[in-house]
């Protein structure tokens, strides 16, 4: 059975579909596309939109890399695979909006296959999506999680709850003792079902991303904002940078596997601020983000 081709075809189609929808939402702004090759094997196709009317930066990356030895980040949870030949492919995207009332969003779906001589290949899927608002709207977060739940429901009643909890735990900045945002879904090492069922689940996650995110964008992108909101957005983006550079397994895998640095770090926002020991004033919309939204809970 060929595992690689059907997954690769789906991922390339998904990249096309999402980049077309995001460009359309931004009044037809176009993505810049780069195709790149990895010296050790494989390559990818990166698409980045910058300085749009709606999105300050949107990056949507497809990669398919392979080699003779899995990087350490890929075997941390599965040490028995150390030294295996591998193939890894996925679509990863991060959307940084211009308007502070529109949340940043991230999605990633991926497929790994490891092989040892004279043994059948070992494969697994991973991915998910999560939302990082700067100013919270409960109806937006509920919609996001309702869509995430709908993506999971055909695969079991407990799937959403398990992967929602995993997302809350994964996208957590331990050194800040706070979540990155309001969560969503996260799963990894998925091979408990047969291949077709696991692949179908990965596709369901990918297929539900636009219906989870675009309605929020449409509702909030024209809200008026000023310097205060913009300043807070840039400050909160600092948390995004901290997570991606300190904890994110995808970033670590890309760097350890010799991937293209520009494509790996396209998840970082174009502008960001840090300030020493800043705290929001009580009773402000900025404080409400911490008090209401940066506390994992059941949204649906």
């Amino acid at each position: 059975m060929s595992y690689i081709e059907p997954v690769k075809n789906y991922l390339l189609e998904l990249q096309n579909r999402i980049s077309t929808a995001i460009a359309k939402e931004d009044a037809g702004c176009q993505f810049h596309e780069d195709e790149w090759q990895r010296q050790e094997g494989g390559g990818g196709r990166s698409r980045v939109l910058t300085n749009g009317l709606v999105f300050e930066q949107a990056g949507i990356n497809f990669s398919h890399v392979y080699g003779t030895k899995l990087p350490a980040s890929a075997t941390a949870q599965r040490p028995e695979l150390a030294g295996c030949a591998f193939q890894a492919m996925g679509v990863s995207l991060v959307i940084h909006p211009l308007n502070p009332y529109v949340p940043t969003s991230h999605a990633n779906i991926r497929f790994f296959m490891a092989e040892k001589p004279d043994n059948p290949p070992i494969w697994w899927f991973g991915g998910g999506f999560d939302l990082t608002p700067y100013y919270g709207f409960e109806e937006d977060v509920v919609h996001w999680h309702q869509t995430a739940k709908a993506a999971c429901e055909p695969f079991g009643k407990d799937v959403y709850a398990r992967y929602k909890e995993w997302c809350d735990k994964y996208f957590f900045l331990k050194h800040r003792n706070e979540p990155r945002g309001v969560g969503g879904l996260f799963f990894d090492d998925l091979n408990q079902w047969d291949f077709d069922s696991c692949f179908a689940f990965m596709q369901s996650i990918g297929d539900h991303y636009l219906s989870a995110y675009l309605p929020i964008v449409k509702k909030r992108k024209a809200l008026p904002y000023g310097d205060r909101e913009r300043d807070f957005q840039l400050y909160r983006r600092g948390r995004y940078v901290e997570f991606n550079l300190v904890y994110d397994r995808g970033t670590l895998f890309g760097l350890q596997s010799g991937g293209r640095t520009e494509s790996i770090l396209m998840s970082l926002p174009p502008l960001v601020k840090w300030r020493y020991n800043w705290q929001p004033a009580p009773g402000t919309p900025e404080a409400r983000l911490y008090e209401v939204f940066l506390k994992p809970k059941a949204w649906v």
Side-chain angles (χ1 to χ4, degrees):
M1 177 179 180
S2 174
Y3 297 117
I4 297 298
E5 287 307 312
V7 178
K8 184 172 184 177
N9 290 339
Y10 170 75
L11 292 172
L12 287 168
E13 185 276 329
L14 181 68
Q15 185 193 35
N16 286 336
R17 192 183 344 144
I18 294 177
S19 56
T20 297
I22 292 296
K24 182 179 179 181
E25 190 64 33
D26 206 337
C29 290
Q30 296 301 307
F31 282 84
H32 173 78
E33 180 177 296
D34 288 317
E35 294 197 6
W36 51 273
Q37 298 297 316
R38 175 177 171 271
Q39 185 174 357
E40 292 84 355
R45 184 173 72 184
S46 297
R47 291 177 177 168
V48 180
L49 181 156
T50 56
N51 299 319
L53 300 175
V54 176
F55 304 111
E56 191 167 9
Q57 182 166 295
I60 306 172
N61 188 46
F62 165 80
S63 62
H64 175 201
V65 300
Y66 45 86
T68 58
K69 184 179 180 181
L70 271 166
S73 60
T75 59
Q77 308 298 320
R78 308 182 70 147
E80 74 277 9
L81 299 181
C84 284
F86 75 96
Q87 295 200 53
M89 64 178 70
V91 166
S92 181
L93 65 94
V94 177
I95 312 293
H96 290 292
L98 181 61
N99 190 316
Y101 290 112
V102 181
T104 284
S105 72
H106 158 260
N108 171 268
I109 52 174
R110 55 192 178 272
F111 174 70
F112 282 84
M113 190 169 71
E115 298 180 86
K116 286 185 176 180
D118 303 320
N119 285 280
I122 300 168
W123 53 262
W124 65 96
F125 292 88
F129 50 61
D130 67 289
L131 193 70
T132 307
Y134 306 97
Y135 291 89
F137 297 90
E138 291 192 27
E139 63 188 278
D140 295 351
V141 183
V142 169
H143 164 78
W144 179 263
H145 279 276
Q146 284 176 334
T147 310
K149 186 177 181 181
C152 297
E153 281 182 336
F155 302 89
K157 292 182 178 180
D158 65 331
V159 173
Y160 164 74
R162 287 192 289 114
Y163 292 162
K164 188 264 185 194
E165 182 181 8
W166 198 346
C167 186
D168 290 339
K169 290 180 178 179
Y170 180 76
F171 291 105
F172 189 85
L173 288 85
K174 300 178 183 67
H175 63 285
R176 298 284 189 181
N177 195 33
E178 68 182 42
R180 185 169 82 171
V182 296
L185 300 170
F186 181 85
F187 68 99
D188 207 355
D189 301 312
L190 178 65
N191 63 1
Q192 294 90 336
W193 310 323
D194 61 85
F195 176 85
D196 288 342
S197 297
C198 293
F199 182 27
F201 180 73
M202 185 196 79
Q203 291 176 82
S204 185
I205 303 305
D207 293 346
H208 278 80
Y209 169 74
L210 287 173
S211 57
Y213 188 51
L214 284 186
I216 299 172
V217 175
K218 293 177 186 292
K219 190 180 296 184
R220 308 298 173 193
K221 68 181 182 180
L223 291 179
Y225 66 91
D227 291 342
R228 170 178 171 163
E229 292 82 7
R230 176 66 168 166
D231 184 69
F232 184 62
Q233 177 197 44
L234 299 186
Y235 171 75
R236 287 297 308 172
R237 281 179 176 176
R239 300 291 204 269
Y240 212 90
V241 173
E242 290 175 21
F243 181 88
N244 278 27
L245 295 184
V246 176
Y247 299 113
D248 188 69
R249 285 170 61 182
T251 302
L252 295 175
F253 174 83
L255 296 174
Q256 291 175 359
S257 64
R260 183 174 182 254
T261 302
E262 289 299 310
S263 299
I264 298 163
L265 298 183
M266 73 179 185
S267 63
L268 303 182
L271 294 173
V272 63
K273 289 184 177 182
W274 281 270
R275 59 175 62 90
Y276 178 73
N277 200 28
W278 182 85
Q279 301 292 328
T284 61
E286 292 77 18
R288 188 168 182 265
L289 177 75
Y290 294 85
E291 295 164 358
V292 176
F293 293 93
L294 296 184
K295 295 186 180 299
K297 64 179 183 179
W299 291 99
V300 296

